[in-house]
């Protein structure tokens, strides 16, 4: 699946309820671990990647967010 759109959710946005055919991708980057899994799926007919900036359930406080890995 070729990703057309990537979304990083901010405080209070931990998932996209309308995301269909969702799969979770986990793994590190050259900058370390992201805040959580990247959720890949379809939204409005488009291939979308979603990441919760502060982790799922706000498990990562702002001063510990690995911004480079998230991007």
């Amino acid at each position: 699946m070729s990703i057309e759109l990537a979304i990083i959710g901010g405080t209070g946005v931990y998932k996209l309820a309308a995301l269909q055919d969702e799969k979770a991708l986990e793994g590190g980057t050259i900058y370390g671990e992201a805040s959580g899994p990247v959720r890949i799926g379809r939204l409005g007919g488009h291939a979308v990647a979603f990441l919760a900036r502060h982790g799922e359930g706000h498990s990562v406080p702002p001063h510990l967010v690995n911004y480079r890995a998230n991007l």
Side-chain angles (χ1 to χ4, degrees), residues 38-55:
V38 175
R39 304 270 176 197
I40 306 291
R42 299 204 66 78
L43 182 64
H46 299 280
V48 175
F50 174 80
L51 173 69
R53 177 178 28 208
H54 294 285

Side-chain angles (χ1 to χ4, degrees), residues 4-49:
E4 301 173 61
L5 178 67
I7 300 169
I8 299 177
T11 301
V13 183
Y14 306 116
K15 63 185 280 184
L16 294 178
L19 197 61
Q20 300 172 339
D21 303 326
E22 183 180 313
K23 296 176 186 158
L25 299 178
E26 297 191 50
T29 72
I30 62 171
Y31 300 108
E33 294 291 321
S35 296
V38 175
R39 304 270 176 197
I40 306 291
R42 299 204 66 78
L43 182 64
H46 299 280
V48 175

Side-chain angles (χ1 to χ4, degrees), residues 53-71:
R53 177 178 28 208
H54 294 285
E56 295 180 348
H58 203 102
S59 58
V60 182
H63 68 285
L64 294 179
V65 171
N66 187 343
Y67 296 99
R68 294 168 86 193
N70 282 357
L71 292 178

